[in-house]
Amino acid sequence: MSLALYGHPFSSYTQKVLIALFENDIPFEFRCISPDYPQNVADWLQLWPLRRFPVLVDGDRHVIETSVIIEYLQLTRPGPVRLVPEDPMAALDVHFLDRFFDLHIMNVVQHAVSGALTGDPVKRADGLAIAVEKLELAYA
Ligand SMILES: N[C@@H](CCC(=O)N[C@@H](CS)C(=O)NCC(=O)O)C(=O)O
């Protein structure tokens, strides 16, 4: 069954899944979520009304949440590059890094991005300030 990935090239969560796909040369069709592709947007909203991307579609099945998508690719499309270590203790370290970067880096960056997307200079500055404070703590 062929895979389709709904996402956006500037989205860090989309890039997280693209890395997994590219690492093992897994064929897929990229369906860009943008006003230029209204059908993709409509399909994506049908698949996941919580309006988060990416979403992976594999035939009748759709897979949501990037960490789950990566586990799904490991199970259904294993390749030369193992995405999560087989050893459960080593896998814990990978899961920790996955959670750290999602919760404390990627989600935090969204404050700045969301503020900027409003077009409101006050919201932009507020979003940036929140992101800077949290990112400095995380990187330290
Ligand atoms: N926990 C989700 C996060 C996905 C996420 O937040 N994606 C962003 C794009 S990078 C998004 O959908 N933003 C749209 C919005 O916040 O409305 C995952 O790992 O898939």
Side-chain angles (χ1 to χ4, degrees):
M1 196 67 74
S2 63
L3 293 175
L5 183 71
Y6 289 85
H8 191 279
F10 295 165
S11 139
S12 52
Y13 279 108
T14 301
Q15 288 170 17
K16 178 176 160 184
V17 172
L18 287 174
I19 290 168
L21 290 162
F22 290 145
E23 278 294 318
N24 280 320
D25 285 327
I26 299 169
F28 67 100
E29 179 192 331
F30 188 69
R31 296 188 184 156
C32 189
I33 296 174
S34 103
D36 295 337
Y37 301 94
Q39 190 57 52
N40 289 352
V41 175
D43 293 346
W44 161 64
L45 290 177
Q46 192 77 24
L47 289 167
W48 194 222
L50 289 183
R51 310 176 74 98
R52 296 279 163 163
F53 53 87
V55 171
L56 184 78
V57 175
D58 186 11
D60 292 342
R61 180 170 206 136
H62 55 280
V63 191
I64 288 158
E65 284 291 326
T66 51
S67 304
V68 179
I69 293 173
I70 287 171
E71 300 262 359
Y72 181 80
L73 291 173
Q74 176 69 58
L75 287 171
T76 62
R77 309 285 193 293
V81 177
R82 235 201 114 81
L83 303 171
V84 180
E86 208 164 357
D87 170 36
M89 289 304 281
L92 279 186
D93 291 337
V94 171
H95 289 310
F96 166 71
L97 288 172
D98 176 71
R99 294 297 74 222
F100 177 81
F101 283 103
D102 278 10
L103 298 174
H104 302 294
I105 305 291
M106 307 236 271
N107 286 1
V108 168
V109 169
Q110 302 266 342
H111 289 292
V113 174
S114 302
L117 286 176
T118 63
D120 175 335
V122 175
K123 286 184 180 155
R124 182 191 184 96
D126 287 351
L128 186 60
I130 293 169
V132 166
E133 187 192 335
K134 288 177 184 282
L135 285 175
E136 279 179 351
L137 187 63
Y139 281 125

